[in-house]
Amino acid sequence: MIDHPFHGFRELFEQLGLPSDEQSIRRFIETHAPLPRHVALPDAPFWTPPQAAFLRDARCEDADWAEVVDRLDAALRG
């Protein structure tokens, strides 16, 4: 049996090089939401190219990060 680690918003924000305390995460979501439905999360204008690549890879490869990336996507959609 393969054990997949669970990643939360704090770890995702750390991976993206963003402040990862609870207040900073809330502020980020409040600032950037709502993300229009026609814009894919990695294509949002507020990501740097490396951040966008990480988000795209996390989904494409169904990586350990895919679930929390999907949760961030949902949070940004409102």
Side-chain angles (χ1 to χ4, degrees):
M1 182 171 140
I2 298 173
D3 185 28
H4 295 286
F6 173 79
H7 298 290
F9 276 168
R10 175 167 279 151
E11 293 85 3
L12 177 60
F13 276 64
E14 288 172 358
Q15 187 71 24
L16 292 169
L18 298 170
S20 59
D21 60 279
E22 189 174 328
Q23 183 178 8
S24 294
I25 293 169
R26 281 190 186 147
R27 189 175 318 124
F28 181 90
I29 292 170
E30 289 170 0
T31 299
H32 297 293
L35 184 62
R37 295 277 175 209
H38 69 277
V39 177
L41 180 65
D43 297 334
F46 45 82
W47 301 121
T48 65
Q51 289 170 332
F54 173 80
L55 293 168
R56 193 169 286 110
D57 290 347
R59 281 191 166 157
C60 290
E61 297 173 7
D62 195 27
D64 294 339
W65 295 99
E67 183 178 330
V68 72
V69 168
D70 287 343
R71 288 183 24 234
L72 177 59
D73 191 5
L76 287 167
R77 304 284 175 186

